[in-house]
Amino acid sequence: PLNVNCRVEQFGLLMEGLEGEKMELVERMGFGHLKHLSGQAMNKELGYWLMTRVNADTGELIAGDGREFTLSSEQVQCVLGIPKGEKLVPLLMDDTNRVEIDKICRWFSKVEYGKACISIVEAKDYVMGEEVDVEKYRVAFLVVLLGMFLCPTTNFSSLASELTPALCAAEEANQYDWCSFVLDFLLRRARAFSHSFDKDGYAVGCGGCTYFLVVFYLDRLRRPPVRWGEYPRLKVFDKDLLKNVAEADRRNSGDFGKTKSVDVAYGEVHPRAARDIYPTESLTFAEE
């Protein structure tokens, strides 16, 4: 079974249940656009296939026809609409954040396989519960966001230990560069995935935000553009559209890559879009 742990559908349901003060807090953190994930789902087979097409060393995604697309944090922002601030998301625990991390661990820590870790399940229960302590709620939402959608691993219940320092950015989340953070995590997971795949011919699962890869890839298939120029792109790709476009790209073998790709970039005119403009009356008369 494909263990693609980017739980779009579950996270979308969680976002759907947030309202009032809770949604206001999420929006102030800079993650309000993720409410558009409500009712969405992702083709896990396509996500898995795309991970086999990522060159983590060069940071490129290779389409089915061999065209190479270099991945960037700007693309992550265009697809997900998450903050791309000037501050770097904390990666290490040191004297400046040790007290903060200890407090967070007391809130949501659990023992798993003989060591303490941050529980995604407990954080999710707090996010959906009645209590709303602003400081604790921001951290809880960030745990769920990272663990279920932005930086998931193949562990469904616990946050990756390397992500714990990032929780210290919850208070001023909108000032941090989450786009670069998400892309770096995805490439690290792609490198581990590739190592297992090359060694054994398969990998039991993959982590990272594969949803980003799916939308990024589908936007670059040779097909009529869908509401091109509207951002973030997750607003455009609903559940049915994701399913239909993915199935149209499926080969008879069951694999993907049937549709050729186009060289297009966010912020530019789509090469498949019609460019004709009805001539003005003055221009028509002048030509006559």
Side-chain angles (χ1 to χ4, degrees):
L2 299 178
N3 189 5
V4 179
N5 203 21
C6 191
R7 289 172 279 171
V8 178
E9 190 168 358
Q10 293 182 43
F11 185 75
L13 285 172
L14 180 141
M15 291 298 295
E16 187 177 335
L18 301 185
E19 54 186 16
E21 182 183 3
K22 292 181 177 181
M23 180 53 73
E24 289 177 6
L25 280 172
V26 171
E27 290 176 344
R28 288 203 295 269
M29 291 176 72
F31 300 113
H33 286 302
L34 299 181
K35 64 185 177 183
H36 296 289
L37 292 173
S38 174
Q40 288 204 30
M42 189 184 71
N43 189 312
K44 292 187 176 183
E45 291 177 286
L46 178 57
Y48 187 95
W49 179 76
L50 287 172
M51 285 295 281
T52 70
R53 312 288 299 178
V54 174
N55 185 332
D57 294 328
T58 61
E60 294 174 329
L61 176 67
I62 306 171
D65 58 3
R67 191 188 296 271
E68 299 173 348
F69 296 99
T70 302
L71 302 174
S72 72
S73 58
E74 287 76 15
Q75 296 159 353
V76 176
Q77 187 178 36
C78 288
V79 171
L80 304 180
I82 58 177
K84 192 177 186 305
E86 296 182 355
K87 294 183 178 181
L88 297 178
V89 177
L91 297 174
L92 301 173
M93 183 172 71
D94 53 32
D95 293 337
T96 63
N97 59 17
R98 192 178 304 276
V99 174
E100 182 72 13
I101 290 176
D102 288 343
K103 178 174 62 177
I104 294 171
C105 288
R106 288 195 299 271
W107 282 341
F108 304 112
S109 182
K110 72 170 186 176
V111 176
E112 185 177 65
Y113 305 117
K115 65 176 183 179
C117 54
I118 302 294
S119 171
I120 299 173
V121 177
E122 290 188 19
K124 182 181 177 182
D125 289 342
Y126 189 85
V127 169
M128 301 304 296
E130 298 293 331
E131 181 184 349
V132 182
D133 175 82
V134 173
E135 181 184 8
K136 189 174 181 180
Y137 189 88
R138 282 191 294 238
V139 173
F141 178 80
L142 195 53
V143 171
V144 175
L145 174 60
L146 295 177
M148 293 182 66
F149 182 64
L150 292 183
C151 301
T153 65
T154 52
N155 186 332
F156 284 87
S157 61
S158 302
L159 192 69
S161 58
E162 63 190 285
L163 298 175
T164 303
L167 301 177
C168 297
E171 183 177 358
E172 299 178 332
N174 60 346
Q175 299 181 25
Y176 285 84
D177 184 2
W178 295 101
C179 298
S180 298
F181 185 77
V182 168
L183 181 59
D184 290 345
F185 187 88
L186 176 64
L187 292 177
R188 290 200 303 274
R189 292 297 163 175
R191 184 174 289 107
F193 177 89
S194 178
H195 178 75
S196 297
F197 201 90
D198 293 343
K199 178 183 177 182
D200 303 320
Y202 71 96
V204 294
C206 57
C209 190
T210 48
Y211 176 86
F212 158 70
L213 288 180
V214 168
V215 173
F216 176 84
Y217 171 72
L218 297 183
D219 258 339
R220 280 152 182 77
L221 294 183
R222 185 174 291 277
R223 56 185 308 278
V226 183
R227 289 158 56 186
W228 189 253
E230 185 172 342
Y231 302 101
R233 297 300 291 162
L234 57 79
K235 294 168 56 178
V236 177
F237 284 88
D238 59 24
K239 181 178 181 179
D240 292 334
L241 182 59
L242 279 171
K243 177 182 177 181
N244 294 337
V245 178
E247 286 305 313
D249 189 51
R250 191 186 292 272
R251 300 178 185 271
N252 293 333
S253 63
D255 212 340
F256 296 91
K258 177 181 177 180
T259 311
K260 293 185 179 298
S261 61
V262 293
D263 187 11
V264 63
Y266 293 129
E268 296 181 359
V269 177
H270 197 286
R272 300 280 290 179
R275 301 193 305 269
D276 293 298
I277 301 174
Y278 189 80
T280 63
E281 184 177 1
S282 59
L283 176 61
T284 304
F285 289 156
E287 289 177 341
E288 291 177 351

